[in-house]
Amino acid sequence: MKVIIINGPNLNLLGKRETNIYGDLSFQEFFENLQLKNKSIALSYYQTNIEGELIDKLQEVGYSYDGIILNAAAYTHTSVGIADAVAAITTPVIEVHISNTYSRESFRHVSYIAPNARGVIAGFGLQSYELALQSFKK
Ligand code: DQA
C-alpha cells in the first residue's frame, strides 16, 4: 500500500513554530517513527511552502497511490486551486490538522478541501496523521 503525507506552508518549521500550538517535535523525527511503526506501508512525505507545488504533487500521486494525508495548512482556508486538485484526483484524501482549527480564529473554520476529502481529522496534535494512516489500513 502506498500512502503519502503532504504538508503545506510553514509545516517545515514544526518543532520551532508556535510550540504551544504545534508541539516541539520536528516532523522529520515524527515521520521516521511513524515509518518504523508501519513497515508494511510504503509511506512517503512531501512538504512545500508553494501552493502550485502542492497541486503538482497531488496530480502526480493522485491517480496511483492508495491514500493521501493532506495538511494544506493555511491554504486549506484559501485555495480553490488545491480544492480543485483534490476533486480531480481519484486517490482518497484525508484532510488533517495538528490543531483544532474549530477552536481557533473564525477564518480557520473554513475548509475548501473538506467537501472533497474522505474525512477530516483535526486537533490531535501529530497523532492526527497517525489516525489518518490508521483509517487507510484494511
Ligand atoms: C494547521 C492549521 C492551519 O489553520 C494553519 O494555517 C497551519 C496548520 C494545523 O495543522 O493545525 O499552518 O493546518
Side-chain angles (χ1 to χ4, degrees):
M1 177 186 301
K2 274 164 78 171
V3 177
I4 186 168
I5 295 175
I6 302 178
N7 271 348
N10 301 306
L11 293 172
N12 54 315
L13 298 179
L14 286 176
K16 296 190 234 179
R17 164 195 190 202
E18 296 175 282
T19 52
N20 56 321
I21 300 174
Y22 299 113
D24 49 21
L25 199 63
S26 76
F27 199 82
Q28 203 50 46
E29 279 173 83
F30 168 76
F31 179 70
E32 280 165 20
N33 195 256
L34 195 63
Q35 274 181 318
L36 284 176
K37 286 202 269 186
N38 293 278
K39 284 193 177 134
S40 60
I41 300 175
L43 184 62
S44 52
Y45 169 55
Y46 178 76
Q47 190 276 333
T48 177
N49 292 324
I50 300 168
E51 185 175 11
E53 289 183 355
L54 287 170
I55 295 169
D56 284 346
K57 184 52 82 175
L58 288 165
Q59 291 184 5
E60 181 192 317
V61 299
Y63 296 91
S64 56
Y65 277 54
D66 301 295
I68 297 172
I69 298 169
L70 175 63
N71 186 348
Y75 291 138
T76 307
H77 319 300
T78 62
S79 177
V80 175
I82 293 172
D84 283 350
V86 170
I89 60 180
T90 53
T91 299
V93 173
I94 299 185
E95 174 182 335
V96 305
H97 299 285
I98 297 163
S99 64
N100 178 357
T101 47
Y102 298 98
S103 69
R104 300 180 65 193
E105 304 95 319
S106 58
F107 65 84
R108 295 186 206 275
H109 301 178
V110 174
S111 169
Y112 284 79
I113 294 163
N116 288 300
R118 175 179 278 185
V120 180
I121 300 172
F124 295 92
L126 289 172
Q127 204 197 350
S128 294
Y129 294 92
E130 212 160 346
L131 294 169
L133 187 61
Q134 197 70 34
S135 80
F136 282 125
K137 290 185 186 169
K138 298 266 151 57

